[in-house]
Structure formats: structure tokens, C-alpha cells
Amino acid sequence: MRIVIILAFLLSANSAYPCATFVLPDHRMLDLKNPQPQAVPNSILGKSYEWHTELGMVVINKRGVQKQALVLSATDKPATWQSRYASVTFNQYGREFPIGGMSERGIVVEALILPQTKYSQPDSRPVVNELNLVQYILDQAKSTEHALKLAKKVRVAPVYANLHYFVCSLGGTCGVIEFLDGNTQTTTSGFANTVLGLTNSPIQKCNNAWARRDMKNSTKQYHRFIDLYKLVLEGMQAKPENIAAAWDILGWLNTNSVSPMQWQIIYEIGKKQVHFRTRKHHAIKTIDLNTFNPECSAPVMMASMNSEASGDISNAFVYYNQKANQSLVAKTLGLLGKQFSADAINLIAKHPQKFKCISSATKAN
């Protein structure tokens, strides 16, 4: 019980820390008059993470690994799965508990606070926790639609945080996973009527607010979403320069936030590249997922998000080690203002040691 209580603070979230994410679809995919079917789409997804610390680590996760979710109740059956795709993830509370990331398949998942979240009651489905779900999807999803189906196959047994999730694919289709009134609800659409962004309110109510575009009579919590959508639509006109537009949108989100921005992340999905910066280390760092061996026969790689480095840091990654993971977990737990036992820290830090490489030749298709 003590560990359960301690872990309840691990993923604790406060609606006073708003986040936002958005996508700028590849303009070539949107040009119906001049389609370019041979072009590899390079939709761009941006994320503004607003919280109380910038500490974190980037992890290169491998394909072909047999995994099991971390559950807190003895009556819950943990979900098990095999990672089909390698991925790059941003982790603040330890490996396998990412806040967001991108797979080699071209799937991006980002988690955001949603105060209205009400998770499902116990049922027969296997269980994951809130952040396990991000890795569970990245490891397996072939498309946005597949990601939404995967989310319905498991039950989220909450540690504490009320979350919803923004999912986008290489082709530009995006969707939202939410848990409202005890049910898993998903929203997805293509370019004609796409989901372009997400803040900290239910997507359907946000879409309704956007349809009205009535800032005077709209509830204040939807103003951020409406403003974000306006900027995204403007950014989509930037065409090849839309990565610059993405940085501009992140800059606006930072300027107009009531909470401190800790991470700004941009995914170039088609290129399998990620760019990020943190609050204290503002130089942009770039990671190229193509440069890493995706097979589980090669070691998992990791890098601190908080170094002074800039530019391409793909060669700065080192082999994953539990001590570094444990150190990160201890620091981030400590910043929550509670005293945490060594047992709790060890439980989280050692969780990936249970995993086994079962295939060194898994094909990402």
C-alpha cells in the first residue's frame, strides 16, 4: 500500500499546468489539384510541455522485446505485448513511462492533462497505466486507426494522472484517445476534416467551440484551443517552411501560457527526426531515429534532455543503465515535495529489467 500511495504522486498532474500539441500536415498531401503520390509525407507535430521541471531523458527503444505493464493492484492482469517498432521517447519518470514519442513506423503519441477524464471500471481487459499506454501504442501501432483500436483493447488503471492522448501518423491522419464517463472514446479524421490540435479540454467540446468561433461567449478554457487552431491554419500555409511555423506556434504557446514551458518538441514524422529544447537549455537539439540500430540485439540507448549540447545529438547517446534511470526517477519524485522510499524508486527503475529480447530480426512493416 505504501508503494501504491507513493506512486500515486509519480504521475500526479495539475490542471494549472496546461500543455498543447498540434500538427501541420504536409502541404503536398493537401494539394488535391497537384497530388504527389510518390512524395514521402513529412507532417510536422509540435508539443509544448508545461510543468514544474525540465528534467528528462530521451530513450531509443528497440523492436522485438517482450514487455509487461506495471500495475499496482494484485487483482489487475498486466498487459503483455511485443514491441514491433523501435521508437524515440521523452521520459520524465523513467524508461517505459514516456510522456510522448515517435516510432519508426511514423506514429507519434503525446499525452496531455484532461481534468474531465474518468477511466473505465475494472473489467476483463488487461491493464496498463497512464504512461505505459504511450509506449504500448508506439511499440505496436501501424496507423492512427490501429492505435485507437489498441487503446480499446486494454484498460487504463490510473496511478493518478487524468490524461488524454494525441496520435498522428506518417500520412497525416490524427486522432484523440479520451476516457470519459468510464468509456474509451476515440476521434479521428483525415485531411478533409482533420484533428489538428489538442489542449486540455475534451476534443468534441473543443471542436464545437471552434465551429462557433465565438470568443466573447465561449468558455475561457476553449480560447487557447481556438487561438491554437487559428495559428495552425496559418502555419499550414507556410508549406515547405512549416517547421519554422511550428517553432513560431510553440513560441506563441510559451508567451501566452500561465505556466512555465519546460519542453518544446517538434517531430518531423516523414524524416524520422525530432528537434527539442528545454527551458534552461534553449539550444535546439536534433535526433535522427534512422541512425540507430532498431533491433533488440543492440543495447537500448539514452541521452539526457538537459545537456548543453546543440545540433544533432544522435551520436551523444550512451547505453541505457539502470543507475541513470534510478537517478532521474529519484530526482523527479523528489521535486514533487514528498519523501519517497527506496522501494518505490527501485520498483520503477528496475521495471524494464523484466523485459526480454525475443526477436533480433523483427521487421517493421
Side-chain angles (χ1 to χ4, degrees):
M1 179 59 70
R2 185 183 181 192
I3 288 178
V4 171
I5 293 173
I6 289 171
L7 283 173
F9 288 100
L10 167 63
L11 303 179
S12 64
N14 190 318
S15 59
Y17 294 95
C19 296
T21 187
F22 60 90
V23 67
L24 297 174
D26 191 318
H27 71 285
R28 295 171 297 182
M29 305 294 289
L30 293 169
D31 190 350
L32 301 181
K33 294 182 179 179
N34 300 289
Q36 300 179 44
Q38 301 304 315
V40 175
N42 190 38
S43 299
I44 291 172
L45 189 146
K47 168 70 178 293
S48 176
Y49 179 58
E50 297 163 26
W51 192 226
H52 60 265
T53 177
E54 70 169 355
L55 291 177
M57 86 180 157
V58 192
V59 179
I60 306 297
N61 308 278
K62 302 308 179 94
R63 57 167 102 134
V65 179
Q66 187 65 36
K67 298 186 177 183
Q68 179 175 304
L70 175 65
V71 298
L72 304 181
S73 173
T75 60
D76 286 337
K77 177 183 177 182
T80 59
W81 67 94
Q82 180 182 342
S83 59
R84 187 176 181 86
Y85 306 108
S87 62
V88 52
T89 56
F90 293 88
N91 303 57
Q92 191 161 69
Y93 296 103
R95 178 183 159 196
E96 293 300 316
F97 307 105
I99 294 169
M102 176 178 66
S103 75
E104 62 178 327
R105 178 72 179 188
I107 303 295
V108 175
V109 183
E110 280 290 344
L112 297 85
I113 296 300
L114 180 63
Q116 295 92 330
T117 292
K118 183 178 179 181
Y119 295 106
S120 303
Q121 294 296 313
D123 55 32
S124 61
R125 289 175 295 172
V127 167
V128 297
N129 65 48
E130 303 96 310
L131 297 185
N132 264 161
L133 183 63
V134 175
Q135 193 69 59
Y136 170 84
I137 292 172
L138 290 173
D139 284 345
Q140 301 180 90
K142 300 178 182 179
S143 64
T144 296
E145 292 81 0
H146 187 211
L148 305 190
K149 290 179 181 179
L150 285 169
K152 292 182 177 181
K153 290 183 177 181
V154 293
R155 177 175 65 84
V156 175
V159 175
Y160 186 85
N162 291 331
L163 302 177
H164 61 169
Y165 307 82
F166 190 56
V167 183
C168 283
S169 66
L170 176 67
T173 300
C174 297
V176 175
I177 302 166
E178 296 179 328
F179 304 92
L180 302 172
D181 299 321
N183 298 310
T184 305
Q185 299 185 15
T186 58
T187 303
T188 186
S189 55
F191 281 127
N193 184 29
T194 194
V195 178
L196 294 174
L198 192 64
T199 53
N200 304 105
S201 300
I203 187 61
Q204 191 57 56
K205 291 185 177 180
C206 285
N207 286 340
N208 292 342
W210 169 250
R212 294 192 302 270
R213 292 176 178 76
D214 184 357
M215 297 289 279
K216 182 177 181 180
N217 298 311
S218 175
T219 305
K220 189 174 182 180
Q221 64 180 311
Y222 301 115
H223 291 184
R224 184 174 170 87
F225 180 85
I226 294 171
D227 287 337
L228 174 63
Y229 248 53
K230 289 179 180 177
L231 290 171
V232 168
L233 293 175
E234 292 175 5
M236 287 168 60
Q237 304 304 313
K239 295 185 177 179
E241 296 77 33
N242 58 3
I243 188 168
W247 284 119
D248 288 343
I249 294 171
L250 288 171
W252 179 89
L253 287 167
N254 183 35
T255 302
N256 292 274
S257 175
V258 297
S259 303
M261 179 281 298
Q262 300 297 347
W263 303 345
Q264 290 182 334
I265 304 171
I266 290 179
Y267 301 90
E268 290 194 82
I269 304 177
K271 294 181 179 180
K272 298 181 185 176
Q273 292 183 349
V274 188
H275 315 278
F276 72 94
R277 58 190 177 193
T278 65
R279 184 173 180 81
K280 294 179 181 178
H281 302 85
H282 210 59
I284 296 172
K285 302 175 179 64
T286 297
I287 302 165
D288 188 342
L289 188 55
N290 297 291
T291 64
F292 297 92
N293 184 341
E295 304 293 349
C296 62
S297 55
V300 171
M301 307 297 289
M302 58 177 287
S304 171
M305 294 185 65
N306 314 108
S307 72
E308 299 286 351
S310 62
D312 191 336
I313 64 167
S314 302
N315 293 328
F317 278 71
V318 298
Y319 294 161
Y320 166 82
N321 66 81
Q322 182 191 314
K323 287 184 178 180
N325 193 38
Q326 187 161 336
S327 175
L328 174 66
V329 172
K331 289 177 181 177
T332 51
L333 284 176
L335 289 173
L336 293 178
K338 301 290 180 180
Q339 294 296 319
F340 299 99
S341 72
D343 288 342
I345 294 170
N346 289 335
L347 178 68
I348 300 158
K350 291 182 178 179
H351 180 67
Q353 288 185 311
K354 300 177 181 179
F355 303 160
K356 294 182 179 180
C357 176
I358 61 174
S359 174
S360 60
T362 305
K363 293 183 179 180
N365 52 37

